[in-house]
Amino acid sequence: MALKVYTTNLGFQWNPTPTFSPMFKTRNLRYKSTKLFDSSYSSIRRNVTVNGSNVVDEQQQVSFNEQENKLIEALIGIQGRGRSASTQQLSDVDRAVQVLEGFEGVPDPTSSSLIEGRWQLMFTTRPQTASPIQRTFVGVDFFSVFQEVYLRTNDPRVSNIIKFSDVIGELKVEAAASIKDGKRILFQFDRAAFSFKFLPFKVPYPVPFRLLGDEAKGWLDTTYLSPSGDLRVSRGNKGTTFVLQKKTVPRQRLISAISTGTGVREAIDEFISLHQNLSRDETELQEGEWQMIWSSQIETDSWIENAANGLMGKQIVKENGQIKFLVDIFLGLRFSMLGKFVKSGKNVYELTMDDAVILGGPFGYPIEMESKFNLELLYSDDKIRISRGYNNIVFVHLRTDGSSKK
């Protein structure tokens, strides 16, 4: 579809060409297909590997109770493991954590074998103010962060691991550990090294732990351990709260795949497959603010065409049939375009966008342009939306306003 744009205030006509790219963050898929997944995928239940973990049926892999699910729900959409969380998101997580800590989990968790193993860090309250390793890596979604707990060995240890990627390798910081009581683990960091896939040896992490004295020591309380052994809440000696999981739900795996840029297609296919029955039902275009975090777009038009067709930025949906595209360009400039949506079929909406303006502080520069296309909802809930829009491009949006439709 070609757009003819008239920049009214500047007094010239412009058929846009891709000569300018605003500074925005968008994840683009590395494949092109008008189908979301092949027919063979949806006809059978398969095991799929996403981000290095084996993914099976949601009910078979994950078993969380109602209170645990409320915490997981609060974590969906938080970026940087808490670093970029809004005040409302932090409040929701804190409330859910306190409920779990008052709930009956595994008694004396340090005495249980369920605490052993590799845990993935999903959230921390202080990702920028704790240890150097946290400040450097924990708030970066592109990396995966794990904690290994092994207390029933001749050499009890707690280790923090930053996995850069399957291709690059990881950094492992180890601590000698001991059990103080049913909740508390004492530890002292004593060694660390980089393990790069392209090197046959480990590279020492340049921290003199022996010279740090008490700074290398600490403790970790497990304030909740799920009976399934898949969810843990811990609090550290520096006042940090940690939420860790051994197993994750499909929405978490999808967002993780998008954050790392690996296995996105497989994660989307798995997610849609697990929710096939739900996707057959009528789905409404829910109101709220929806930030695009990924699209399958390969061929790039001019930024203004991308913005007008909803291929970047945020969508603000209102119940009265109004929708707004909002894109941050740079230096305080934003592109805004208003329009309307009308339901034209099952899970399909017709969008007409015809009121565009470039905003700079209190000033606006109207642009005469129009864009029409269909938006098909492939999946939608209160936190995440998967849709197919302009030119059959698939999108993933996250709700950012914290609201939910009642």
Side-chain angles (χ1 to χ4, degrees):
M1 179 186 68
L3 290 176
K4 181 169 288 188
V5 182
Y6 300 90
T7 309
T8 308
N9 284 43
L10 301 183
F12 62 88
Q13 179 177 325
W14 180 31
N15 288 317
T17 55
T19 57
F20 172 76
S21 298
M23 299 175 66
F24 61 91
K25 294 182 179 179
T26 304
R27 293 281 185 183
N28 291 334
L29 180 64
R30 298 173 179 83
Y31 75 97
K32 186 175 183 179
S33 174
T34 57
K35 295 183 179 180
L36 191 61
F37 47 82
D38 356 81
S39 57
S40 60
Y41 189 99
S42 59
S43 61
I44 57 175
R45 175 68 66 197
R46 305 185 307 174
N47 288 352
V48 180
T49 299
V50 177
N51 283 344
S53 62
N54 195 44
V55 176
V56 295
D57 187 273
E58 183 177 6
Q59 285 74 28
Q60 293 177 357
Q61 182 181 3
V62 185
S63 177
F64 295 118
N65 60 39
E66 181 181 354
Q67 289 78 12
E68 293 165 353
N69 276 320
K70 287 182 178 179
L71 174 56
I72 292 171
E73 182 76 13
L75 295 176
I76 298 294
I78 294 180
Q79 297 180 328
R81 299 176 187 87
R83 182 181 63 180
S84 303
S86 66
T87 301
Q88 181 62 49
Q89 287 173 322
L90 291 174
S91 176
D92 291 344
V93 172
D94 183 62
R95 188 182 306 110
V97 164
Q98 290 187 38
V99 169
L100 273 183
E101 289 177 329
F103 192 67
E104 184 177 354
V106 174
D108 298 329
T110 58
S111 301
S112 172
S113 61
L114 293 175
I115 200 172
E116 305 257 327
R118 172 174 279 210
W119 295 84
Q120 184 172 359
L121 179 66
M122 309 304 296
F123 175 86
T124 174
T125 54
R126 303 176 66 194
Q128 300 182 74
T129 57
S131 66
I133 186 173
Q134 279 186 270
R135 290 196 300 269
T136 306
F137 298 116
V138 170
V140 181
D141 281 325
F142 185 77
F143 305 136
S144 298
V145 183
F146 300 93
Q147 184 178 83
E148 289 183 347
V149 179
Y150 293 105
L151 304 175
R152 287 155 186 79
T153 68
N154 294 331
D155 183 22
R157 290 201 162 265
V158 174
S159 303
N160 294 332
I161 300 167
I162 308 294
K163 185 177 180 181
F164 303 116
S165 74
D166 291 332
V167 176
I168 298 175
E170 64 183 31
L171 167 63
K172 187 174 186 178
V173 182
E174 300 184 50
S178 62
I179 298 175
K180 181 179 180 181
D181 54 39
K183 289 184 178 293
R184 180 163 296 185
I185 299 172
L186 304 177
F187 62 84
Q188 181 171 356
F189 290 111
D190 57 3
R191 64 189 185 213
F194 292 94
S195 296
F196 295 116
K197 297 290 186 179
F198 49 84
L199 292 177
F201 54 86
K202 295 182 178 181
V203 178
Y205 184 60
V207 174
F209 292 110
R210 293 183 180 179
L211 300 180
L212 293 179
D214 290 342
E215 286 296 316
K217 298 179 181 179
W219 51 261
L220 187 69
D221 283 348
T222 296
T223 56
Y224 180 80
L225 177 62
S226 67
S228 66
D230 291 331
L231 178 67
R232 173 164 63 98
V233 177
S234 293
R235 296 184 183 268
N237 57 290
K238 294 185 178 181
T240 309
T241 300
F242 305 94
V243 178
L244 306 101
Q245 292 177 233
K246 281 184 181 175
K247 296 179 181 178
T248 55
V249 298
R251 285 190 298 178
Q252 291 175 309
R253 295 196 293 271
L254 172 57
I255 294 172
S256 176
I258 291 171
S259 297
T260 60
T262 57
V264 181
R265 178 181 183 178
E266 291 80 5
I268 291 179
D269 284 345
E270 173 68 10
F271 188 86
I272 294 295
S273 178
L274 288 171
H275 296 89
Q276 284 184 68
N277 292 332
L278 183 62
S279 64
R280 293 191 186 103
D281 299 332
E282 285 287 337
T283 304
E284 298 296 325
L285 186 58
Q286 295 193 46
E287 65 175 320
E289 298 182 5
W290 297 87
Q291 179 68 44
M292 194 188 79
I293 60 172
W294 181 88
S295 83
S296 62
Q297 181 187 19
I298 293 181
E299 298 177 358
T300 302
D301 297 321
S302 70
W303 74 267
I304 200 166
E305 285 187 308
N306 286 335
N309 290 317
L311 304 185
M312 63 174 75
K314 182 180 292 187
Q315 294 180 2
I316 302 174
V317 181
K318 298 184 178 181
E319 276 192 328
N320 60 3
Q322 290 188 340
I323 186 169
K324 177 194 286 187
F325 297 162
L326 193 62
V327 179
D328 290 323
I329 306 174
F330 67 97
L331 299 178
L333 292 178
R334 294 187 299 168
F335 173 86
S336 174
M337 192 171 189
L338 293 173
K340 296 181 179 181
F341 62 89
V342 178
K343 195 164 188 177
S344 58
K346 183 179 178 181
N347 301 333
V348 178
Y349 291 82
E350 184 178 295
L351 272 63
T352 301
M353 310 299 296
D354 56 8
D355 186 2
V357 63
I358 293 180
L359 301 171
F363 304 103
Y365 301 92
I367 302 174
E368 187 177 333
M369 61 190 308
E370 185 178 76
S371 177
K372 291 184 178 181
F373 56 90
N374 287 334
L375 181 70
E376 179 187 3
L377 299 180
L378 304 172
Y379 174 85
S380 181
D381 59 32
D382 288 338
K383 289 281 189 174
I384 192 169
R385 188 180 79 199
I386 303 174
S387 59
R388 183 170 14 227
Y390 169 74
N391 204 23
N392 281 322
I393 294 171
V394 176
F395 305 90
V396 179
H397 286 81
L398 280 180
R399 171 169 272 172
T400 59
D401 59 353
S403 65
S404 61
K405 191 174 181 177
K406 302 299 183 183

